[in-house]
Every structure is written in structure tokens, then in C-alpha cells.
Amino acid sequence: MPYPQKLLNDHETVALDLHPHWWFFARSGATMLVSVLVGIASLVWLDGDFQKVVNWIAIAGIVVSAILLVSRYIQWFTTNFVITSDRVIFRTGVFAKHGIEIPLERVNNVIFHQSVIERMLGCGDLLIESGGETGQQRFTEVKDPDQVQALIHTQVDAKVARRGQASSGGSGGGDVASQLEKLEGMLQRGTLTPSEFEAQKRKLLGA
């Protein structure tokens, strides 16, 4: 289920809308597989009353794991990790909703972590450090976290550039210094070319 457009602010656009990676189903799927294999093994190699007991255990395992798998799918379907032109949004829940919103201007750092297996599967964790009350937010089972990290930085830089253009006519000295510092960060990350940096710098300084 995509993130509802009605929850976006005016002129806000969605750059990325992700559900969790399929690794999200690993535990419930593994439980289902083990239960099926136990049932098959009991039919092939066991007999008598012991076979019946093992079969009932396998059937119970299949039923429970199927319920867990359906529940997990509903949770996956209703979970969105969204990057917009203004915010990073995490939203989950069917009836009771839980959400986190981090304004792009408060994002201080984005760190991703992948184990060897996660790197092979294309998933991992994302840690966003922000200037909000919570300070840090960790998101798990994120698809291609390195690419998501780069996209967040790109959106932050674009947000800074838009604010710089909007305030170039009447911003105070302290604000200009802050905007210049952020533009230098964009230049160092390669988001702006030297010529684009100089053009934005001239706009901020009113030259």
C-alpha cells in the first residue's frame, strides 16, 4: 500500500516509498519450511503412533506459522519508509498507527550498516541522527540502505538549496553564514559543481 497522498503537505513530493525488504519474512517463512519438512520426514521415515504424534506436531507448526506469515504480510503491507522533499517518514499499523517524521532540515547524519549476509541480500539497517527530541532513529530491513542514505543526503541538499534561494533577498548575516556552510558541504559531497556553488554563493551574498 503506497503512502497516502492526502498526508503530504502542499507542494511536497515523494522521492521514495519503500516497504521492508523481503528478509522481513525470514523467521516466519523459515518456521513454515521447517514444519513442512518435519511433516514430510515423518511420513517417509516414521510409522505407528510416533508418526501420528509427529504429524500432529508438524500440522500444528504449519498452522501457527501460516498465521504468523499472514500477520507478517499485513504488517509489511502497511509499513512505509518514505522520503519526500520535506521529510523522512516511517509509518506502520493497520488499525493502530505508529509513525515517525524527521524534517530534512533536522537531519544531521545518516549511517547504514550491513552484515555480510545482508549485503548479499541487499538489505540492512539505517540510523538517522537528527536534531529532534529522540536524537537517533534506527530502521531495520531497509532495501539498499546505501542508496537510501545517498538519496536522503540529496534531498537534504536540495532542501537547503531551495531555502537559500528563497531567503537570498532578506536573510540575516548569521543565516547567510549557515547557508554558505551547508552549500560547502554540498560541494564537498559532489551534489553541487563548483560553478553551481559559486552561483548559489553569489545569490546568498547578493552579488
Side-chain angles (χ1 to χ4, degrees):
M1 182 173 65
Y3 186 76
Q5 293 292 312
K6 64 181 180 180
L7 297 180
L8 297 176
N9 298 325
D10 292 340
H11 309 297
E12 185 177 17
T13 57
V14 174
L16 182 70
D17 186 356
L18 286 178
H19 293 302
H21 189 270
W22 63 262
W23 188 244
F24 187 77
F25 299 102
R27 291 183 180 178
S28 52
T31 302
M32 169 73 80
L33 179 61
V34 169
S35 299
V36 171
L37 292 177
V38 168
I40 294 173
S42 69
L43 292 174
V44 174
W45 290 310
L46 301 178
D47 55 21
D49 293 338
F50 186 61
Q51 182 191 56
K52 293 179 181 179
V53 172
V54 174
N55 282 344
W56 279 112
I57 292 174
I59 291 171
I62 292 172
V63 171
V64 171
S65 58
I67 293 172
L68 292 176
L69 197 58
V70 171
S71 174
R72 200 70 171 158
Y73 174 77
I74 293 173
Q75 185 180 355
W76 174 89
F77 188 70
T78 57
T79 297
N80 298 84
F81 182 86
V82 182
I83 302 172
T84 76
S85 53
D86 295 332
R87 301 171 287 170
V88 176
I89 305 168
F90 177 80
R91 189 170 185 261
T92 186
V94 182
F95 302 108
K97 297 289 186 180
H98 169 69
I100 300 169
E101 293 187 7
I102 305 174
L104 290 178
E105 58 266 23
R106 294 198 176 189
V107 173
N108 296 327
N109 196 17
V110 184
I111 304 168
F112 78 90
H113 176 267
Q114 289 178 297
S115 65
V116 175
I117 294 177
E118 287 175 332
R119 186 173 181 181
M120 293 172 61
L121 296 175
C123 66
D125 297 345
L126 205 65
L127 179 67
I128 299 179
E129 299 178 353
S130 69
E133 294 181 1
T134 54
Q136 293 183 341
Q137 291 290 340
R138 182 178 296 276
F139 305 95
T140 60
E141 282 99 23
V142 177
K143 181 180 179 182
D144 299 324
D146 53 338
Q147 297 180 23
V148 176
Q149 177 198 46
L151 180 59
I152 292 175
H153 283 307
T154 299
Q155 291 297 102
V156 169
D157 293 343
K159 178 82 171 180
V160 171
R162 290 196 302 271
R163 290 182 63 187
Q165 292 175 354
S167 61
S168 59
S171 57
D175 186 53
V176 169
S178 176
Q179 296 296 332
L180 281 173
E181 183 178 348
K182 292 181 178 180
L183 285 174
E184 288 174 357
M186 295 168 64
L187 177 64
Q188 293 172 0
R189 288 194 291 270
T191 306
L192 290 180
T193 64
S195 60
E196 290 172 335
F197 170 77
E198 290 299 328
Q200 292 291 339
K201 180 179 177 181
R202 285 195 297 270
K203 287 183 180 179
L204 283 175
L205 297 177

